[in-house]
Amino acid sequence: MSFKIASSPHQHNQRSTAHIMRLVALACLPGIAVQAVLFGYGVLIQLVLAIVTAWLSEALILKLRGKPVFARLKDNSALLTAVLLAIAIPPYAPWWIIVIGTAFAIIMVKQLYGGLGNNLFNPAMAAYVLLLVSFPLQMTQWLPPLSLQSVDLTPLDAVCSIFTHYSCSGFSLPQLQANIDGITMATPLDTLRTDLARGLTLDESLNRPVFFAFAGTGWLWLNLAYLAGGLLLIQQKIISWRIPLAVIASLFVLSAIATLAAPDTIAGPLFHLFSGGTMLAAFFIATDPVSASTTNKGRLVYGALIGLLVFLIRNFGGYPDAYAFAVLLANMAVPLIDYYTRPRTYGHRPRSELK
């Protein structure tokens, strides 16, 4: 008999890495469907571009490294990275945004460190941060939900907008960002941050059309869809409940305390939980089995740290939706977290008992 050593993620059951990655990608489908219904067909085009780029990039690097191409592509890790990045960027971002980001995630963040199981950082979030810092204009051009859009966009319009920056009718992305009242729209988190910086109170900002629901028009349903997919992953024992619970609980508690202290400037906990990419990050990104903490206690600390960083960056930093930065910073702390939360070896006796 031979003992085969495989790279992470490690599971106690008989599921292969390819099966785990495929299930995580499938669990994203409810959120992807809701995102397409709310924000248009652009997300589906971004998914196709990301997946094709991920497969080509992975195949190229594996070929250069002398590794088996098709065997490694079948583990579905490149597929999952492409899916997570594609649904995190604006659906109508230019085509080269997703191509650059996906290639960077696969080549620089994943393969440069030795491939699956060796990367220090979450590839999708590292690529997202690269794109956000390098191309802030393109990465913040979110269109309003379809119910608030001034122009009805067909699938062909989505293709034209992504590849030419103009719809088939000649509308540019800035024009498409205007709602039915002609007011340029942004995400709820970005709108709130901008309004508070202008001196408006929280209540005055929440009267805007983008805040039709407490978490923003459409964003509540989007987060609920990713929450449903995340709960399915927990039920199937694909991910541990500790990291999502710690992320959500940490953000909830901190925002609740801050709201009580400054009710005119800090949004309530439900707003933070169901706006932006909270549920997507808590269940699908923070739980990355390679770059996240591996001990039970460490996962709770790791998740709580992400929630803390998200709260601080959202309210006092320069970026409204802070999950990419929070996850990367927490990835850096994983070796220290794992070191101090290692389970005690069976039979171990403290030094104090040996004296």
Side-chain angles (χ1 to χ4, degrees), residues 89-102:
I89 71 170
Y92 289 85
W95 64 271
W96 46 268
I97 288 286
I98 191 63
V99 170
I100 292 174
T102 307

Side-chain angles (χ1 to χ4, degrees), residues 8-11 17 20-21 24 80 116-117 119 122 238-239 243 284-294 299:
S8 57
H10 303 293
Q11 293 281 331
T17 299
I20 294 170
M21 298 293 177
V24 176
L80 181 58
L116 180 65
N119 48 286
N122 184 292
I238 300 298
I239 62 175
I243 293 177
F284 293 92
I285 295 173
T287 55
D288 175 24
V290 177
S291 57
S293 179
T294 57
R299 287 167 178 162

Side-chain angles (χ1 to χ4, degrees), residues 1-11 16-18 68 71-72 75:
M1 294 179 63
S2 61
F3 181 75
K4 182 180 179 182
I5 300 177
S7 64
S8 57
H10 303 293
Q11 293 281 331
S16 64
T17 299
R72 298 292 179 89
D75 66 15

Side-chain angles (χ1 to χ4, degrees), residues 57-58 60-61 102-113:
S57 301
E58 183 120 312
L60 173 62
I61 297 302
T102 307
F104 178 83
I106 298 299
I107 296 174
M108 303 300 295
V109 186
K110 179 185 176 184
Q111 290 296 334
L112 189 66
Y113 286 93

Side-chain angles (χ1 to χ4, degrees), residues 207-226:
N207 286 326
R208 289 181 175 273
V210 71
F211 297 108
F212 177 76
F214 67 90
T217 302
W219 291 92
L220 170 62
W221 300 110
L222 185 60
N223 275 278
L224 288 175
Y226 284 118

Side-chain angles (χ1 to χ4, degrees), residues 5-345:
I5 300 177
S7 64
S8 57
H10 303 293
Q11 293 281 331
H12 294 293
N13 52 39
Q14 299 299 316
R15 290 175 174 143
S16 64
T17 299
H19 183 57
I20 294 170
M21 298 293 177
R22 184 166 60 251
L23 284 178
V24 176
L26 290 175
C28 290
L29 289 180
I32 293 173
V34 172
Q35 192 167 339
V37 170
L38 293 174
F39 296 100
Y41 302 96
V43 63
L44 304 179
I45 300 172
Q46 301 288 359
L47 278 169
V48 173
L49 290 173
I51 293 171
V52 171
T53 303
W55 280 340
L56 291 177
S57 301
E58 183 120 312
L60 173 62
I61 297 302
L62 289 173
K63 187 70 174 177
L64 293 176
R65 293 178 59 200
K67 303 292 183 179
V69 175
F70 293 104
R72 298 292 179 89
L73 285 178
K74 288 192 297 183
D75 66 15
N76 292 323
S77 60
L79 169 69
L80 181 58
T81 297
V83 170
L84 293 177
L85 182 59
I87 59 182
I89 71 170
Y92 289 85
W95 64 271
W96 46 268
I97 288 286
I98 191 63
V99 170
I100 292 174
T102 307
F104 178 83
I106 298 299
I107 296 174
M108 303 300 295
V109 186
K110 179 185 176 184
Q111 290 296 334
L112 189 66
Y113 286 93
L116 180 65
N118 299 298
N119 48 286
L120 301 177
F121 301 100
N122 184 292
M125 291 300 95
Y128 183 90
V129 168
L130 168 78
L131 295 174
L132 186 60
V133 172
S134 303
F135 312 105
L137 177 62
Q138 289 79 6
M139 286 294 291
T140 54
Q141 288 185 328
W142 281 83
L143 267 63
L146 293 178
S147 60
L148 297 178
Q149 287 184 14
S150 58
V151 180
D152 293 330
L153 296 177
T154 65
L156 187 58
D157 285 321
V159 174
C160 293
S161 298
I162 290 173
F163 285 95
T164 69
H165 199 68
Y166 291 92
S167 69
C168 297
S169 304
F171 292 99
S172 65
L173 281 179
Q175 291 174 316
L176 295 175
Q177 280 185 282
N179 70 355
I180 54 179
D181 296 324
I183 301 173
T184 300
M185 299 285 289
T187 63
L189 288 169
D190 194 29
T191 299
L192 180 61
R193 169 180 292 277
T194 302
D195 288 347
L196 293 177
R198 292 171 49 209
L200 298 179
T201 65
L202 182 63
D203 290 337
E204 290 173 336
S205 179
L206 293 179
N207 286 326
R208 289 181 175 273
V210 71
F211 297 108
F212 177 76
F214 67 90
T217 302
W219 291 92
L220 170 62
W221 300 110
L222 185 60
N223 275 278
L224 288 175
Y226 284 118
L227 172 62
L231 293 177
L232 176 63
L233 292 180
I234 293 177
Q235 188 272 331
Q236 292 293 315
K237 300 186 185 302
I238 300 298
I239 62 175
S240 169
W241 55 267
R242 292 174 176 83
I243 293 177
L245 178 63
V247 172
I248 293 171
S250 175
L251 182 58
F252 182 91
V253 171
L254 290 171
S255 56
I257 294 174
T259 301
L260 293 175
D264 291 334
T265 57
I266 303 294
L270 292 180
F271 174 83
H272 282 286
L273 291 184
F274 293 102
S275 187
T278 300
M279 297 302 168
L280 172 64
F283 288 94
F284 293 92
I285 295 173
T287 55
D288 175 24
V290 177
S291 57
S293 179
T294 57
T295 66
N296 287 336
K297 291 181 180 178
R299 287 167 178 162
L300 293 173
V301 174
Y302 172 78
L305 176 61
I306 291 176
L308 169 63
L309 291 171
V310 168
F311 171 78
L312 292 176
I313 298 173
R314 277 186 176 182
N315 291 285
F316 308 107
Y319 296 93
D321 202 352
Y323 273 101
F325 294 95
V327 169
L328 293 184
L329 290 171
N331 288 162
M332 296 172 63
V334 162
L336 185 65
I337 294 173
D338 283 350
Y339 179 81
Y340 283 105
T341 59
R342 288 179 299 180
R344 179 172 295 181
T345 306

